[in-house]
């Protein structure tokens, strides 16, 4: 199967009440160079948690936007790609049929799925919806991230093509294991066994196994302690 992809890049800018972000992206045409750190001309803010070799590209399914528009009809016109800050948008690839470790051929490049995107509070500020990051996590409508195995020239004229599947854990399964289940060492071991899993997720799961507990998600989802109900 071939999956035509729209391509987006963005620059870091300030957000009132939040920290700088490059979530605001624009569509680009023509050939671009893809390196192990991402697309030519694309930026990431706060590189300790965004970007890097395991998070070089962000992919978000275009079909999710219709569901978000139904959830938030008063902002329906805003739910169009690349509103979630993705680099790639397709129809036909979702968290259910994309797997950790999947390798896609894209033009001259080879890219590998490393983890679900971990939603953070910056999407809340971007849309003005205080709990959108939490809703992304709860619904597993998160998208996913790639590392670049082989760089080269890419473009919207060259579709994604699945070249290799190395695990039986879908992006959806990974999200459920990490965020929806109570502590489950067997499931963590299963996810850790998925070839291609990112270093950061590997580290987090190993910490859980050592501590026997799950870390608090509040700062990632809200940028601060969990808000009072």
């Amino acid at each position: 199967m071939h999956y035509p992809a729209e391509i987006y890049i963005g620059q870091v800018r300030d957000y009132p009440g939040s920290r700088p972000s490059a979530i605001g992206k624009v569509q680009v045409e023509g050939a671009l160079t893809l390196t192990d750190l991402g697309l030519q001309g694309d930026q990431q803010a706060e590189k300790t948690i965004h970007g890097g070799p395991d998070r070089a590209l962000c992919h978000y399914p275009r079909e999710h936007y219709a569901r978000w528009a139904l959830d938030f009809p008063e902002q329906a016109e805003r739910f169009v790609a690349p509103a979630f800050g993705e680099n790639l948008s397709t129809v036909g690839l979702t968290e259910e049929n994309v797997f950790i470790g999947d390798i896609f051929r894209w033009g001259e490049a080879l890219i590998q799925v490393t983890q679900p995107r971990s939603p953070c509070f910056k999407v809340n500020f971007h849309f003005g919806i205080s709990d959108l990051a939490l809703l992304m996590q709860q619904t597993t409508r998160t998208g996913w991230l790639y590392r670049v195995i082989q760089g080269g020239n890419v473009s919207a004229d060259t579709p994604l093509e699945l070249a290799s599947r190395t695990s039986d854990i879908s992006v959806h399964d990974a999200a459920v294991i990490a965020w929806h289940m109570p502590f489950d060492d067997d499931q963590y071991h299963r996810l850790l066994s998925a070839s291609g899993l990112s270093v950061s997720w590997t580290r987090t799961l190993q910490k859980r196994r050592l501590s026997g507990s799950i870390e608090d998600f509040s700062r990632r989802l809200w940028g601060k302690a969990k808000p009072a109900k």
Side-chain angles (χ1 to χ4, degrees):
M1 291 286 292
H2 293 78
Y3 301 91
E6 293 182 354
I7 307 173
Y8 311 96
I9 61 174
Q11 305 293 305
V12 175
R13 65 184 181 91
D14 292 329
Y15 279 79
S18 183
R19 296 200 285 270
S21 173
I23 191 172
K25 299 192 185 296
V26 295
Q27 187 171 357
V28 291
E29 303 289 348
L32 288 175
T33 300
L34 179 65
T35 73
D36 59 354
L37 294 180
L39 288 166
Q40 170 191 358
D42 192 45
Q43 294 183 350
Q44 298 88 27
E46 299 185 277
K47 293 186 178 181
T48 57
I49 55 175
H50 297 110
D54 281 351
R55 298 176 292 226
L57 293 169
C58 178
H59 189 146
Y60 200 72
R62 203 173 311 148
E63 47 264 62
H64 287 346
Y65 282 106
R67 299 177 67 180
W68 288 119
L70 290 174
D71 292 341
F72 297 97
E74 69 282 0
Q75 293 201 48
E77 73 283 354
R78 296 194 63 191
F79 286 104
V80 293
F84 281 98
E86 63 266 32
N87 299 116
L88 295 171
S89 175
T90 58
V91 173
L93 293 172
T94 69
E95 293 82 359
E96 283 78 13
N97 64 13
V98 172
F99 289 69
I100 301 298
D102 276 0
I103 297 173
F104 287 89
R105 187 178 305 281
W106 182 28
E108 297 176 351
L110 292 172
I111 57 178
Q112 183 176 40
V113 177
T114 58
Q115 63 173 81
R117 174 186 181 168
S118 299
C120 83
F121 65 92
K122 291 184 179 181
V123 300
N124 303 340
F125 285 92
H126 186 58
F127 285 94
I129 299 172
S130 62
D131 59 351
L132 186 56
L134 175 63
L135 293 172
M136 290 176 69
Q137 181 165 298
Q138 288 176 334
T139 61
T140 68
R141 300 202 297 259
T142 61
W144 55 89
L145 305 180
Y146 295 100
R147 70 168 55 91
V148 178
I149 294 178
Q150 174 181 301
N153 289 327
V154 297
S155 79
D157 296 326
T158 53
L160 299 181
E161 179 184 7
L162 182 64
S164 178
R165 175 154 290 163
T166 64
S167 87
D168 64 352
I169 299 181
S170 69
V171 173
H172 175 268
D173 290 342
V176 169
I177 291 168
W179 298 323
H180 297 182
M181 290 183 176
F183 182 90
D184 190 324
D185 191 65
D186 288 341
Q187 288 298 319
Y188 296 159
H189 184 269
R190 176 173 171 247
L191 181 49
L192 284 164
S193 299
S195 173
L197 187 68
S198 72
V199 171
S200 63
W201 271 53
T202 298
R203 185 181 300 119
T204 294
L205 293 172
Q206 293 289 21
K207 285 181 179 178
R208 290 185 188 181
R209 298 184 74 198
L210 288 172
S211 67
S213 63
I214 299 173
E215 73 282 2
D216 183 23
F217 303 139
S218 297
R219 291 199 175 276
R220 172 168 58 80
L221 294 174
W222 289 285
K224 55 187 178 181
K226 187 175 182 180
K229 294 184 178 180

